[in-house]
Amino acid sequence: MNSNVSRRADEKKLLDVRQLNVIYGKGKDSVHAVKDVSFHIKPGEIFGLVGESGCGKSSLGKAVIRLTDPTSGTIDFNGIDVASLKGRALKTYRQEVQMVFQDPYGSLNPRMKVGSAIVDVLEVHKIGKNTTERRERVAALFEAVGLDPNWAWRYPHEFSGGQRQRICIARALALNPDLLVADEPVSALDVSVQAEILELLEELRAKRNLAFLFVSHDLAVVRNVCDRVAVMYNGEIVEIGDVADVIDHPQHEYTRKLLAAVPSF
């Protein structure tokens, strides 16, 4: 391949966030959760966002997927500014950007079979010609995340925590997104199960060229799975770069403190 073409492909931005602000409330009681944040994610990249609880990283993730409305700034996705999308246009955007939450059990309806929940998503977005075709798609999604397709017609309480998180990932994949916002996706799981889920995310990235905004408080996890990382403190990004550079040669005092709190890599 021509080196200039390759370089342009490397520089392509799937998501480009510029000077994003998220403020909750008004007046003296307002909370400035995200402050002038800028970063980008390339196709197929796992981009880490790390910081302590309450630093604003979950608010940032929710703003990207438009579960929270940004106060100001731009969110450019494939050349479209999504910060002001509404109605049908916002619905279309949410097909391309999906979210995986920290608590897999809380993300599932305990009274609904997990496969039916995914079928409902497909029906809302008019994917599949009929129920049979949608159920076949559910079976394929279960196989993609390493679960027996026959388990799709069980209830959430019949699964382990790791299996429930795989189900949530399958549901997020149902609409063929280009980007997954993973908000602490392994923090509620045992260490051995964490490794399995992280390996699954790597496989999905490789097979689908899927990009991730990977939100975490755990630098050890971020180092193992991410290509680049941004360190967030008090609503701001204080350091950003290749994950090895940031972790091996931290420039900001807050990053050094986070690293000092990690027992061992």
Side-chain angles (χ1 to χ4, degrees):
M1 179 181 289
N2 181 282
S3 60
N4 291 331
V5 173
S6 177
R7 191 178 302 115
R8 285 196 298 271
D10 290 341
E11 292 171 353
K12 180 182 178 184
K13 298 175 183 178
L14 176 69
L15 179 76
D16 192 11
V17 175
R18 294 289 176 185
Q19 296 180 306
L20 191 72
N21 288 274
V22 176
I23 301 173
Y24 299 116
K26 295 182 179 180
K28 63 179 182 179
D29 296 324
S30 66
V31 176
H32 202 158
V34 178
K35 304 174 184 177
D36 291 320
V37 163
S38 299
F39 67 94
H40 72 272
I41 301 176
K42 294 178 284 189
E45 180 181 34
I46 300 181
F47 182 87
L49 183 65
V50 68
E52 295 172 307
S53 296
C55 71
K57 57 187 189 298
S58 291
S59 292
L60 176 56
K62 290 177 181 177
V64 166
I65 201 168
R66 289 291 314 279
L67 291 179
T68 296
D69 289 332
T71 305
S72 64
T74 61
I75 304 170
D76 186 285
F77 185 81
N78 270 333
I80 298 173
D81 181 13
V82 302
S84 58
L85 291 181
K86 296 179 180 179
R88 184 176 298 178
L90 180 58
K91 181 179 176 181
T92 299
Y93 172 64
R94 285 180 175 154
Q95 288 186 238
E96 300 176 353
V97 181
Q98 287 284 298
M99 194 161 193
V100 177
F101 295 93
Q102 176 180 358
D103 179 10
Y105 191 71
S107 301
L108 298 168
N109 185 339
R111 296 183 177 86
M112 180 179 285
K113 293 177 180 178
V114 293
S116 297
I118 298 176
V119 167
D120 281 357
V121 171
L122 297 173
E123 287 179 348
V124 167
H125 289 272
K126 296 180 171 53
I127 296 176
K129 296 177 182 177
N130 50 48
T131 300
T132 299
E133 191 171 297
R134 290 176 184 127
R135 288 172 70 99
E136 290 173 353
R137 186 172 178 85
V138 169
L141 288 166
F142 265 58
E143 289 182 342
V145 298
L147 293 176
D148 186 330
N150 294 317
W151 295 355
W153 313 109
R154 297 179 179 179
Y155 291 94
H157 72 268
E158 299 181 73
F159 297 93
S160 68
Q163 289 169 338
R164 285 195 288 264
Q165 193 60 292
R166 288 175 184 268
I167 292 165
C168 291
I169 293 169
R171 182 177 60 185
L173 294 175
L175 303 178
N176 283 327
D178 293 320
L179 174 68
L180 282 190
V181 177
D183 188 5
E184 300 274 10
V186 298
S187 63
L189 306 175
D190 293 338
V191 173
S192 60
V193 180
Q194 285 185 12
E196 294 174 359
I197 296 299
L198 294 176
E199 184 177 352
L200 172 62
L201 298 183
E202 285 277 13
E203 290 175 0
L204 293 172
R205 184 255 285 269
K207 291 178 180 177
R208 297 169 177 253
N209 196 36
L210 189 61
F212 290 84
L213 173 57
F214 188 92
V215 180
S216 179
H217 68 278
D218 191 332
L219 272 169
V221 170
V222 166
R223 176 162 193 169
N224 283 326
V225 73
C226 296
D227 302 304
R228 291 186 301 126
V229 61
V231 180
M232 199 166 184
Y233 174 65
N234 196 26
E236 300 178 271
I237 288 180
V238 296
E239 190 161 354
I240 190 168
D242 290 344
V243 69
D245 290 340
V246 171
I247 289 176
D248 293 340
H249 307 287
Q251 301 299 308
H252 196 275
E253 181 62 25
Y254 177 69
T255 309
R256 297 189 190 103
K257 289 181 179 178
L258 283 180
L259 287 165
V262 179
S264 173
F265 280 116

